[in-house]
Amino acid sequence: KAGVTQTPRYLIKTRGQQVTLSCSPISGHRSVSWYQQTPGQGLQFLFEYFSETQRNKGNFPGRFSGRQFSNSRSEMNVSTLELGDSALYLCASSSRRSLGDEQYFGPGTRLTVT
Amino acid sequence: SQQGEEDPQALSIQEGENATMNCSYKTSINNLQWYRQNSGRGLVHLILIRSNEREKHSGRLRVTLDTSKKSSSLLITASRAADTASYFCATDADTGGFKTIFGAGTRLFVKA
């Protein structure tokens, strides 16, 4: 069973640009969650999608958005990039039929904003 | 803001020794999970303990949960150099959707 894949793995962008990150969950998983990891703030929850619907959202500005497609693949978009958006972005998939279902993490996309 | 606070922030031990990491959280939870992360890579799920459980074992891992104190501990017995990693606790509260909140993590270094 293939794991969670994230593309691209590394990305360098300039302030003010926008970026789209992609996550392909494990086959059969309908839930995809996104997290931002920085040295200063640690791992922070961005949002979770389940069957194309955003079920929950963390405390991030509206510049951060996401979506999920019918095949459960998910994308997150960050517009008007700021230096502080430099981070490792992790996605995780889960069957999420109920609380406690294990999350499987991808390797992450490392975004550097210059 | 993060839910969990972990203690210690960093831990250095010799191979063969036991490593204990603690986690405290703030709100009511449905379950608590521990993850490992090697050098800024993706996280690996280690163990989950539900709010109605007090202790759980998995191989060399032992997790305890005290909901009255809102705290959990992860014990790694007979540590190995390969256990060198960052360890995070994470909590799930049903907020009308699932929202996993991670602690700040403990960096464990096991010396061979």
Side-chain angles (χ1 to χ4, degrees), chain A residues 23-69:
Chain A
C23 173
S24 293
I26 290 172
S27 177
H29 284 186
R30 294 162 65 188
S31 167
V32 174
S33 297
W34 288 90
Y35 300 85
Q36 181 197 64
Q37 186 176 29
T38 61
Q41 298 297 317
L43 273 155
Q44 295 191 87
F45 172 81
L46 279 156
F47 26 66
E48 187 219 2
Y49 286 87
F50 184 86
S51 293
E52 302 179 67
T53 300
Q54 185 182 88
R55 287 204 295 194
N56 218 328
K57 192 177 191 302
N59 297 323
F60 278 81
R63 300 184 298 106
F64 291 81
S65 63
R67 59 178 175 168
Q68 187 179 33
F69 302 96

Side-chain angles (χ1 to χ4, degrees), chain A residues 35 37 41-45 48 55-57 88 90 96 98-100 102-103 105-107 110, chain B residues 1-2 30-31 35 37 40-43 45 48 50 88 92 94-100 102:
Chain A
Y35 300 85
Q37 186 176 29
Q41 298 297 317
L43 273 155
Q44 295 191 87
F45 172 81
E48 187 219 2
R55 287 204 295 194
N56 218 328
K57 192 177 191 302
L88 180 67
L90 294 162
R96 288 292 200 182
S98 63
L99 284 169
E102 184 175 333
Q103 291 186 85
F105 281 80
R110 186 163 295 281
Chain B
S1 62
Q2 294 180 53
N30 287 284
N31 63 65
Y35 289 83
Q37 184 180 38
R41 296 182 182 177
L43 279 77
H45 183 268
L48 177 148
R50 300 187 190 279
F88 297 88
D92 263 323
D94 187 356
T95 58
F98 301 113
K99 182 176 178 179
T100 304
F102 283 85

